[in-house]
Amino acid sequence: MNPRRAPRRTPRAQSADDLLSTLGRLTARARAGAEHQQPRVELAEALQREMLPAVLPALPGLRTAARYAPARHGLDIGGDWYDGFGLPEGALAFSIGDVQGHDVEAAAFMGQVRIGLRAVAAVVDDPGEVLARTNDVLLSMGRELFATCTLLRFDPDTWELHSARAGHVPALWATVDGRYGMAEDEGGLPLGMLPGAGYAVTRRKLDRAGSIVLVTDGVVEGPSFPVDEGLERVLGVVREGAGADPGELAAEVMKVADSTGHADDAAVLVISHNAGGPRPR
């Protein structure tokens, strides 16, 4: 009697086994990669939150608020920031920006950009010149990163807002009497790209009560819709909330970021102001 032979594996069964084996190896590799990456993600997020200001400046008739949301998927974190600080003779400065790239390197570079802007703004009044000098400082460091940025300077004596933009998405504004729009400043290249870059300055008189909203592209761009549509959505929110509390308005704007399905981190900075005029001396 012939011994019974084990049934031969059919090509299909062999192919299925090979597929399962390959999937198992890929899963193990992905798990190991995620475990290796997670400490870097946690460090980047900690750096990010520690570098954001705990308090934003304000003045009588001028209130501020901000919101920040980390990346949805955990790996794209570390590039966005907002900031506000006092300047000599009572002026205020506000900035918002986004560093190209993510993880710890982007978080560290973001801190360098913020410090550079603060240091230069303390001795230079013109926001365009502040961006130009900060750009040159960043290039001298030899880093291969760049950052988009908007910088505002508010003068409480004249109640004027001077702004300059380095490759960043435009600011949005609305007044309580129904006017609204996007900033029409010319702008310039992102910081850290080209030596000697120039940045035009736009001057605006805050003679009507309203709100100015600055965002990063994580708020207005994502898988659900493109940046132009996102800006229009935020502008609609700003129109409706021009006279609202700045914290409430910032929270409403951040809801647009939630609807984009954004994979990037997102930041919102709101400046709400009364109708102003020259401050009595």
Side-chain angles (χ1 to χ4, degrees):
M1 191 175 194
N2 293 330
R4 299 181 64 183
R5 296 181 178 179
R8 296 180 63 183
R9 298 172 65 190
T10 65
R12 181 172 182 176
Q14 186 174 4
S15 176
D17 289 344
D18 290 344
L19 178 59
L20 289 173
S21 177
T22 301
L23 287 175
R25 289 196 302 270
L26 291 175
T27 301
R29 189 181 305 170
R31 184 181 298 113
E35 291 173 352
H36 174 74
Q37 181 71 12
Q38 189 58 33
R40 293 175 62 84
V41 173
E42 293 174 354
L43 175 58
E45 185 171 358
L47 285 171
Q48 174 88 343
R49 293 194 178 279
E50 286 299 318
M51 290 180 185
L52 296 177
V55 179
L56 290 170
L59 290 170
L62 190 95
R63 298 171 295 157
T64 57
R67 294 290 186 275
Y68 166 76
R72 283 281 182 88
H73 303 298
L75 298 180
D76 292 339
I77 191 166
D80 288 20
W81 86 86
Y82 61 83
D83 199 7
F85 50 94
L87 296 172
E89 300 182 1
L92 299 179
F94 300 94
S95 71
I96 193 167
D98 184 3
V99 174
Q100 165 265 337
H102 301 95
D103 206 350
V104 179
E105 290 78 10
F109 189 71
M110 177 267 285
Q112 292 169 335
V113 177
R114 281 190 58 226
I115 292 171
L117 290 171
R118 282 181 172 239
V120 178
V123 295
V124 176
D125 290 341
D126 183 86
E129 184 65 20
V130 173
L131 291 184
R133 295 195 187 187
T134 303
N135 175 65
D136 291 340
V137 170
L138 294 174
L139 285 168
S140 71
M141 297 167 59
R143 302 292 296 272
E144 295 183 355
L145 295 173
F146 63 84
T148 67
C149 173
T150 294
L151 178 66
L152 308 180
R153 184 182 189 276
F154 172 71
D155 188 336
D157 289 331
T158 62
W159 213 255
E160 285 186 342
L161 194 69
H162 297 182
S163 65
R165 186 161 58 102
H168 201 69
V169 293
L172 306 129
W173 60 270
T175 60
V176 296
D177 60 1
R179 303 187 182 198
Y180 61 92
M182 297 185 191
E184 298 178 354
D185 52 315
E186 180 180 346
L189 291 173
L191 302 176
M193 289 192 69
L194 183 68
Y199 301 91
V201 176
T202 300
R203 293 166 175 80
R204 181 174 175 223
K205 185 84 167 180
L206 302 184
D207 54 3
R208 292 178 173 86
S211 295
I212 299 163
V213 176
L214 306 175
V215 300
T216 58
D217 57 7
V219 177
V220 294
E221 184 177 27
S224 300
F225 46 78
V227 62
D228 291 343
E229 183 177 344
L231 286 169
E232 289 293 339
R233 292 193 182 197
V234 172
L235 184 57
V237 173
V238 178
R239 288 175 58 191
E240 293 294 325
D245 174 81
E248 295 176 359
L249 180 54
E252 289 299 315
V253 170
M254 191 58 81
K255 291 180 181 178
V256 177
D258 295 336
S259 68
T260 67
H262 65 96
D264 200 354
D265 43 353
V268 176
L269 176 60
V270 176
I271 303 169
S272 296
H273 56 88
N274 297 337
R279 184 173 63 180
R281 294 186 177 275

